[in-house]
Amino acid sequence: MDLELRQLRCLVAIVDEGTFTDAAATLGVSQAAVSRTLASLERALGVRLLRRTSRAVTPTGTGLRVVAHARRVLAEVDDLVRDATSGHAHLRIGYAWSALGRNTLPFQRRWSRTRPETDLHLVRVNSATAGLGEGACELAVVRRPLDDRRFESAIVGLERRLCAMASDDPLARRRSVRLADLAGRTLLVDRRTGTTTADLWPPDSRPATEETHDVDDWLTVIATGRSIGMTAESTANQYQRPGVVYRPVRDGEPIAVRLAWWKDDPHPATQAVLELLTALYREA
């Protein structure tokens, strides 16, 4: 069954305007064309959608349900068209766990001040590409290399590696920790998007690991003292949680922050974002 958008628009116009004549005027077609289009829709669906009397046109029970679906479909199509044709007017930047840490607010404010013509939105998508591969954004902030050849990326800055632990953990009394201090603990990791694996430790002193898929769950478990976590400094800036403290890992390598984009379809504002983020990380 192949339904056409013009059929759905015709049905919605009839219901909204109340008569075939008014619907024809709204759509810019003849009344006969409206009648034919509605009839073709009813034949395609095999149901009656409207009751016609000499005074009014009203939806049947099935018609009401179809009209509700039609409105949603048409709204989605309108969103699709706006998204595809907006060009540089809109920009979505995805991230998995934390956006840009302490640079998040300065980035948003400086962008709105210097590039008001491009509407900026940050969106959290917990996937390996931070929403880029899923079509949820045009650019993505990621903290590990993307192996997918469809994407390009560039490092915009470095962040310290921190250990997250319960506030009553014995290690919380220290100002910093070393990897060796964590070897006998259980490390909570997100294998899809996380920056930490047991490979940071020598083979004979690696911590046990458990898996999580969400930063809120990660924090909740760490607060119990059952596990610890390792993360980029931006997580500590963005997710302060009672019962959880963050301590620098002195011998942990810094984490590179990357901006990624589609290789064959970069957003027009990509270079401007790269330059602004690089400047912010340099100033921090």
Side-chain angles (χ1 to χ4, degrees), residues 180-231:
D181 299 326
L182 313 174
R185 310 296 290 272
T186 298
L187 187 68
L188 202 56
V189 299
D190 184 342
R191 300 187 192 281
R192 293 180 301 177
T193 64
T195 56
T196 302
T197 70
D199 293 338
L200 284 174
W201 287 262
D204 58 346
S205 60
R206 289 174 177 169
T209 60
E210 291 184 4
E211 194 160 355
T212 187
H213 300 294
D214 181 82
V215 64
D216 289 313
D217 292 340
W218 183 78
L219 289 165
T220 299
V221 174
I222 288 172
T224 68
R226 195 180 78 208
S227 303
I228 59 170
M230 191 89 76
T231 190

Side-chain angles (χ1 to χ4, degrees), residues 37 78 109 177 203 234 241 278:
T37 302
D78 289 342
R109 287 181 171 174
V177 297
S234 57
R241 176 70 65 89
T278 301

Side-chain angles (χ1 to χ4, degrees), residues 212-272:
T212 187
H213 300 294
D214 181 82
V215 64
D216 289 313
D217 292 340
W218 183 78
L219 289 165
T220 299
V221 174
I222 288 172
T224 68
R226 195 180 78 208
S227 303
I228 59 170
M230 191 89 76
T231 190
E233 186 176 2
S234 57
T235 305
N237 295 128
Q238 194 159 334
Y239 295 102
Q240 296 293 324
R241 176 70 65 89
V244 176
V245 298
Y246 298 90
R247 296 292 181 262
V249 182
R250 279 184 284 173
D251 53 347
E253 291 184 0
I255 295 170
V257 183
R258 292 174 168 84
L259 185 71
W261 60 91
W262 284 91
K263 182 185 299 185
D264 63 352
D265 189 23
H267 190 280
T270 298
Q271 186 60 37

Side-chain angles (χ1 to χ4, degrees), residues 29-166:
V29 299
S30 67
Q31 183 175 333
V34 169
S35 298
R36 287 195 301 269
T37 302
L38 177 68
S40 68
L41 176 59
E42 290 182 324
R43 283 196 304 272
L45 295 176
V47 294
R48 185 179 180 187
L49 300 174
L50 299 177
R51 296 187 186 91
R52 308 164 182 81
T53 67
S54 58
R55 295 183 178 180
V57 177
T58 58
T60 63
T62 300
L64 286 172
R65 296 194 298 273
V66 172
V67 167
H69 281 292
R71 292 189 194 280
R72 290 194 291 270
V73 169
L74 294 173
E76 286 289 337
V77 170
D78 289 342
D79 288 343
L80 182 153
V81 172
R82 281 194 297 270
D83 183 67
T85 60
S86 60
H88 64 277
H90 300 280
L91 173 60
R92 298 169 300 175
I93 300 180
Y95 64 94
W97 276 39
S98 55
L100 301 161
R102 69 181 64 185
N103 291 317
T104 302
L105 187 56
F107 170 65
Q108 291 173 298
R109 287 181 171 174
R110 196 174 299 184
W111 184 267
S112 64
R113 186 171 64 249
T114 60
R115 301 292 294 253
E117 74 280 3
T118 303
D119 191 22
L120 174 69
H121 295 278
L122 300 183
V123 294
R124 182 157 76 97
V125 181
N126 195 38
S127 75
T129 64
L132 197 59
E134 294 78 11
C137 57
E138 289 76 44
L139 299 174
V141 176
V142 295
R143 288 177 171 81
R144 63 184 190 184
L146 295 180
D147 296 329
D148 195 321
R149 293 184 178 180
R150 296 176 299 170
F151 307 122
E152 291 278 7
S153 67
I155 295 175
V156 296
L158 299 175
E159 294 177 343
R160 293 186 301 168
R161 196 180 296 268
L162 305 182
C163 178
M165 63 190 76

